[in-house]
Amino acid sequence: MSSTTSTADAGLIGLAVMGQNLVLNLADNGYSIAVYNRTTATTEEFVARATDDQDVRGTETIEEFVAALSRPRKIILLVKAGEVVDKVIDQLLPHLEADDIVIDGGNSLFTDTQRRFEALAEQGIRYIGSGVSGGEEGARNGPSIMPGGSADAWPEVRDMLQAISAKAGPNDDEPCCDWIGPGGSGHYVKMIHNGIEYGDMQVLAEAYLALSALGNSPAEMATIFDGWNQGRLRSYLVEITAEIMAATDDDGTPMIDVILDAAGQKGTGKWTVISAMQLGQPMMLVAEAVGARMVSSFVDVRKRAAELLLGPESVGLGDLSVADVADAVYAAKLISYAQGFMVLADASAENEWGLDLASIARMWRGGCIIRAAFLDDIAEAYGRDANLVNLLFDPFFVDAVNASIPGLRKTVLAAAGAGIPVPAYASALTFFDGFRTARGSANLIQAQRDYFGAHTYERLDKPRGEWFHTDWAGTGGAATSGSYSA
Ligand code: 6PG
């Protein structure tokens, strides 16, 4: 790691905002970096802005770029997820040699990363798919980095990635970057991070609706969110929400009041929900968050619906308090993270990734968008018991969720009565109540399935795994359709 070597320590392709900031972060940490961008003018402008003590070397062609790197080459890609990654890899491949290391730092779909990892391994190229979270500011000053793929490449890039990552822990010296696991696991963990990010944002957006309905102005909400940021809800997203509430447009109107309520999305939340469903895991709060963004985007249809469809006569929230809404935020977040970690545990078992859930929680304590005080508690819970069946079973979280659920329940009831949509809160509460119900209503589902399709059922008075069929209407026979479950 020195700027005196004739070849650069590492290279980066893709000088959009994340790429530029990551290069400057690397350079500030003493690494010499060769850069390449499809548009050469961008490279020239960027290199011209580097200071004398930042060793950033512009290159104009892929050949020149590869030749500028010390061996084994370490190449970071920060290009648009999808086909562009494949195209860049295709351009690079003829110039690479065995043992070179390619690190995809974009938001790639984990199955794409798995495919690229396997294809490049056949050519002796080591591939790392790494989630990088923290946006523009994180990339510049320390993101959370979640690398997975070729394990034997990790010792060769560890120092560099940990140097540029955020630091957390009691002394702010624990890197928010550690090895995640094989294949596409790094990008999988980043995808779940993003799904949880969607959930956290929706939970705060619902608090905004409820607090507004309680009569708080944006300036007053800035104070409320700021207060929340001093306690158990302390997190980057609450902090920026307070700042957003305080921001005003040129004419003094609160910024929040001039922004169209139609949310965009680039797909990682949707991927999270699809993956959870494929695993048979109900990551329902995130599903609601993705759905709420979809509903928000139907701007004109919603205007028409607002004219036609009735809400309740009374729009009052009764005696709902700000403290109840804070409890709702906290309880909903706990349930969302419990769901997220259920998916991580299941994906790890299914793919034999050996994910270390405590380590993942530690990596999310700093640098990333979901960074929060609360992740210390999650890291501690998995530190106490790496095989914790569910986050909500940890003694700390049992107490925390039981104490905050009444506020969530009150908020959902009040919002439902007033016709205020709180899909994430309602979903969290419904999950909680279903999860803590020892005997639910699926006996009826089983009876219905058996009635119309002879799908069979298990009996309370017989061991699990013994399947029974009833000829409910007296019209069927003894034949059954099998008891497998997908
Ligand atoms: C991060 C973010 C980032 C994501 C944006 C936008 O961890 O830094 O998750 O990777 O791309 O938040 O995502 P959406 O456009 O899907 O909201």
Side-chain angles (χ1 to χ4, degrees):
M1 138 179 124
S2 129
S3 56
T4 55
T5 49
S6 57
T7 46
D9 297 315
L12 186 139
I13 298 181
L15 291 174
V17 65
M18 289 291 284
Q20 292 196 7
N21 282 323
L22 212 63
V23 172
L24 295 176
N25 184 351
L26 284 158
D28 282 349
N29 277 283
Y31 292 92
S32 53
I33 306 293
V35 294
Y36 172 78
N37 194 66
R38 197 167 44 123
T39 317
T40 309
T42 309
T43 311
E44 285 166 359
E45 280 164 33
F46 174 63
V47 173
R49 278 194 283 118
T51 58
D52 287 346
D53 51 359
Q54 291 172 328
D55 189 350
V56 179
R57 309 172 191 181
T59 62
E60 292 186 9
T61 62
I62 285 280
E63 291 83 341
E64 192 192 340
F65 171 76
V66 173
L69 304 174
S70 63
R71 293 179 193 161
R73 301 176 181 91
K74 301 174 187 76
I75 300 173
I76 302 171
L77 311 182
L78 266 176
V79 298
K80 189 165 178 258
E83 277 175 26
V84 182
V85 177
D86 289 312
K87 279 194 185 136
V88 173
I89 291 173
D90 287 348
Q91 283 175 305
L92 274 171
L93 262 183
H95 309 288
L96 298 185
E97 291 168 3
D99 289 342
D100 283 347
I101 301 167
V102 177
I103 305 172
D104 172 15
N107 265 335
S108 291
L109 181 60
F110 74 99
T111 45
D112 284 345
T113 300
Q114 181 71 36
R115 166 177 60 76
R116 291 168 188 143
F117 162 81
E118 285 164 13
L120 268 70
E122 278 175 25
Q123 315 218 24
I125 310 294
R126 295 178 288 175
Y127 194 70
I128 293 179
S130 179
V132 177
S133 176
E136 202 176 327
E137 194 269 333
R140 181 68 184 88
N141 299 315
S144 168
I145 306 178
M146 298 150 245
S150 303
D152 65 340
W154 175 232
E156 293 170 56
V157 297
R158 176 175 39 212
D159 288 351
M160 178 174 79
L161 295 182
Q162 291 191 336
I164 63 167
S165 76
K167 309 292 179 295
N171 304 315
D172 275 340
D173 60 356
E174 297 168 29
C176 296
C177 169
D178 211 338
W179 189 245
I180 298 281
S185 61
H187 273 137
Y188 191 87
V189 169
K190 174 61 173 35
M191 177 187 80
I192 298 297
H193 163 283
N194 278 30
I196 290 175
E197 171 187 307
Y198 274 56
D200 281 0
M201 292 167 77
Q202 178 64 26
V203 162
L204 293 176
E206 292 176 14
Y208 156 58
L209 267 193
L211 293 173
S212 302
L214 284 172
N216 294 288
S217 67
E220 286 164 334
M221 283 189 273
T223 307
I224 292 169
F225 283 114
D226 193 42
W228 290 359
N229 198 39
Q230 314 305 320
R232 65 192 163 150
L233 290 174
R234 183 161 60 80
S235 61
Y236 171 72
L237 284 168
V238 170
E239 180 189 331
I240 66 166
T241 303
E243 287 178 22
I244 290 165
M245 290 297 161
T248 49
D249 206 359
D250 293 342
D251 65 356
T253 313
M255 276 309 299
I256 194 70
D257 290 345
V258 298
I259 297 173
L260 180 72
D261 60 328
Q265 47 187 325
K266 296 203 177 69
T268 47
K270 190 174 67 181
W271 296 346
T272 299
V273 176
I274 292 170
S275 170
M277 286 287 170
Q278 281 168 339
L279 288 167
Q281 290 290 343
M283 206 163 163
M284 301 313 292
L285 188 142
V286 176
E288 291 295 348
V290 173
R293 289 197 194 191
M294 292 169 176
V295 174
S296 81
S297 71
F298 308 150
V299 177
D300 294 332
V301 179
R302 283 194 290 123
K303 278 187 192 141
R304 181 87 183 106
E307 289 160 7
L308 292 174
L309 308 177
L310 291 180
E313 275 169 23
S314 156
V315 292
L317 287 169
D319 64 349
L320 188 74
S321 67
V322 172
D324 293 326
V325 182
D327 275 347
V329 170
Y330 188 63
K333 264 179 73 102
L334 286 181
I335 290 161
S336 175
Y337 281 68
Q339 292 177 347
F341 276 82
M342 283 161 73
V343 174
L344 284 176
D346 206 11
S348 178
E350 180 83 12
N351 296 291
E352 298 181 359
W353 282 337
L355 297 182
D356 177 340
L357 301 183
S359 166
I360 291 168
R362 283 197 296 273
M363 267 176 260
W364 289 349
R365 288 176 304 171
C368 62
I369 304 294
I370 65 170
R371 62 185 181 264
F374 158 86
L375 279 153
D376 285 322
D377 302 325
I378 298 182
E380 279 169 27
Y382 283 107
R384 276 190 286 276
D385 179 3
N387 299 316
L388 191 61
V389 171
N390 192 286
L391 194 57
L392 297 177
F393 293 172
D394 173 78
F396 173 86
F397 285 107
V398 169
D399 290 345
V401 80
N402 283 337
S404 52
I405 274 289
L408 176 65
R409 210 176 280 290
K410 206 169 151 191
T411 306
V412 171
L413 274 170
I420 296 170
V422 286
Y425 296 169
S427 171
L429 183 61
T430 302
F431 173 83
F432 181 82
D433 283 334
F435 191 57
R436 64 171 191 85
T437 299
R439 176 157 169 81
S441 60
N443 41 338
L444 176 58
I445 308 281
Q446 286 300 79
Q448 289 164 335
R449 292 176 71 237
D450 192 57
Y451 189 116
F452 63 67
H455 293 288
T456 71
Y457 55 85
E458 293 166 287
R459 293 180 58 99
L460 282 172
D461 53 0
K462 298 284 181 196
R464 293 292 312 264
E466 272 187 46
W467 298 93
F468 298 88
H469 169 59
T470 296
D471 182 9
W472 297 89
T475 51
T480 65
S481 74
S483 56
Y484 73 90
S485 247

